[in-house]
């Protein structure tokens, strides 16, 4: 695989009962790209994210991540660990419970890919900073005994996690809210906290599902700037689902258009803007989707 390609999706298929949400999705994301996935409501965009991030296991096709030196086969990563077995060991049982709650998201996260959700998923009853610590603990795999004994190594890991949390709070401009409950934040602040949480897991690729939804024009502008900072200063690749076409057209390097579970077009913003197939797909869509 070309080293420049950090995420490659081939013949991705996702079926829910009799419904084929994705038929044959092919796409390639290059390193440090801002890559946008667009399309009318119900096109299958979130389903693509759910498959990429291990929230669902795809019904078919291939997803290859290439960010940590060696390629990771995402579907295999999920499949190997969660095949049902006759004998269920306690460790395996715990893994399966976890899988039931979060899908395989944490496994793919460890392989270098993080996400935010279209419907914000924060621990609302925890403080802002606690949300960021929990995210790192899921990633770091704490050693319980070291915690009980409060070893120097453990204390160092704790203080590193706190430093890291505050670093990202600074970037997303939420330091002043560190001790407030996540559920009390405004919508725009919660969206930024989700981005900070994803970044706390030290990803190489971040998938943002409609990050501008519900934001006002100033907040959307600030979000665009932040996405560029992530790409330019943190060596990140950004995969973006977004309905705000002004934002998509201004920040994306490459756009893929989905409709009814298929890729119908791809190219630069300029190419997509003038593509008759894309325009036709959006006709009859809600007015707000095309503004
Ligand atoms: N968990 C699910 N079970 C059944 N159908 C689903 C599920 N998730 C998505 N779908 C269906 O897949 C299609 C694509 O949905 P989605 O990926 O959410 O679209 P988009 O994000 O582009 O608006 C829709 O028809 C939706 O109803
Ligand atoms: Mg969606």
């Amino acid at each position: 695989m070309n080293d420049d390609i950090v995420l490659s999706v081939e013949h991705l298929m996702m079926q829910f009962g009799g419904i084929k949400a994705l038929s044959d999705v092919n796409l390639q994301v290059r390193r440090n790209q801002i890559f946008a996935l667009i399309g009318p409501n119900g096109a299958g965009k979130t389903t693509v994210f759910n498959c990429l991030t291990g929230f669902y296991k795809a019904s078919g096709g291939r997803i290859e991540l290439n960010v940590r030196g060696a390629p990771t086969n995402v579907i295999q990563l999920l499949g190997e660990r969660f095949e049902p077995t006759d004998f269920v060991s306690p460790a395996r049982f715990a893994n399966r419970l976890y899988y039931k709650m979060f899908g395989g998201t944490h496994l793919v996260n460890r392989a270098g890919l993080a996400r935010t959700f279209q419907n914000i998923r924060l621990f609302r009853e925890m403080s802002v900073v606690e949300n960021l610590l929990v995210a790192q603990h899921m990633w770091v795999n704490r050693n319980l005994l070291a915690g009980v004994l409060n070893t120097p190594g453990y204390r160092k890991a704790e203080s590193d996690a706190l430093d890291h949390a505050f670093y990202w709070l600074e970037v997303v401009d939420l330091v002043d809210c560190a001790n407030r409950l996540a559920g009390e934040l405004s919508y725009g602040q919660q969206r930024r906290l989700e981005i900070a949480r994803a970044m706390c897991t030290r990803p190489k690729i971040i998938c943002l599902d409609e990050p501008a939804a519900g934001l006002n024009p100033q907040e959307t502008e600030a979000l665009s700037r932040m996405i560029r900072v992530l790409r330019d200063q943190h060596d990140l690749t950004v995969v973006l689902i977004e309905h705000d076409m002004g934002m998509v057209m201004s920040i994306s390097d490459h756009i893929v258009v989905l409709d009814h579970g298929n890729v119908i077009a791809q190219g630069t913003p300029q190419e997509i803007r003038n593509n008759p197939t894309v325009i036709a797909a959006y006709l009859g869509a809600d007015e707000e989707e095309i503004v």
Side-chain angles (χ1 to χ4, degrees), residues 16 19 21 39-48 56 118 210 241 243:
F16 297 107
I19 299 164
N41 273 329
K45 304 179 297 295
T46 296
T47 302
V48 169
Y56 295 152
Q118 182 173 356
E210 299 199 24
I241 294 175
H243 277 308

Side-chain angles (χ1 to χ4, degrees), residues 7 9 20 38 43 59 61 87 90 106 133 167 169 195-196 212 275 278:
L7 180 64
V9 173
K20 224 180 215 183
I38 67 169
S59 320
F87 171 72
H106 63 297
L133 293 175
Y167 175 83
L169 285 180
I195 293 175
N275 184 313
V278 176

